[in-house]
Amino acid sequence: MAWTALQRQYADRLTAPEIDFLFARLVLGLTAPFYAEREPALHFTACNALVGRKLPPERAHAALRTVPKAGEPWIERAFDLAEEHGTKIAATLKEQRDQTDQINAKADAAHRELSSGAKEHVG
């Protein structure tokens, strides 16, 4: 979906390498909260795999390793905004996942407590 949105919004204003780099920056942002505490190489490997799912190998390689020379200042800002936006989205998703994990852990503990109490009552 992200690729399609970028194509729709920028296809007539950016070159293919610029769109590829924009996509790579978005992916970097989307994955950053999940890899913040891990080795940077692992984060890069994840980005490479995700960008490679949409772009052919040579374009994915270039998008992750080469910063295209922006023709206009707004393009450089778009690169930064793509990553920032991706990071905000991912941070929200991570927070929701963490909250869900906490709720599930509490529910599991309550279920175990009720189950053990019911066994004691029956036995």
Side-chain angles (χ1 to χ4, degrees):
M1 288 175 39
W3 176 256
T4 302
L6 291 175
Q7 286 290 325
R8 254 184 283 175
Q9 187 167 354
Y10 294 108
D12 60 337
R13 300 186 298 166
L14 297 178
T15 66
E18 289 171 336
I19 291 175
D20 292 353
F21 185 70
L22 191 66
F23 179 63
R25 292 284 301 266
L26 180 64
V27 169
L28 179 67
L30 287 168
T31 55
F34 299 97
Y35 288 90
E37 312 256 333
R38 298 179 177 188
E39 286 291 320
L42 183 60
H43 186 194
F44 182 79
T45 299
C47 289
N48 192 44
L50 292 169
V51 171
R53 293 184 82 185
K54 194 65 190 168
L55 300 177
E58 65 282 350
R59 284 177 55 193
H61 181 85
L64 290 164
R65 291 170 181 84
T66 307
V67 178
K69 185 170 172 88
E72 297 180 37
W74 72 266
I75 296 172
E76 288 184 33
R77 184 67 185 135
F79 294 156
D80 293 339
L81 287 173
E83 186 175 340
E84 290 172 23
H85 187 64
T87 300
K88 286 178 185 176
I89 292 169
T92 300
L93 292 173
K94 186 177 185 306
E95 184 178 304
Q96 288 173 351
R97 184 195 70 184
D98 291 348
Q99 288 174 351
T100 300
D101 289 349
Q102 289 175 355
I103 290 168
N104 288 339
K106 287 178 183 177
D108 288 345
H111 178 71
R112 283 192 300 276
E113 189 175 309
L114 286 173
S115 294
S116 67
K119 288 179 186 175
E120 290 175 9
H121 182 67
V122 172

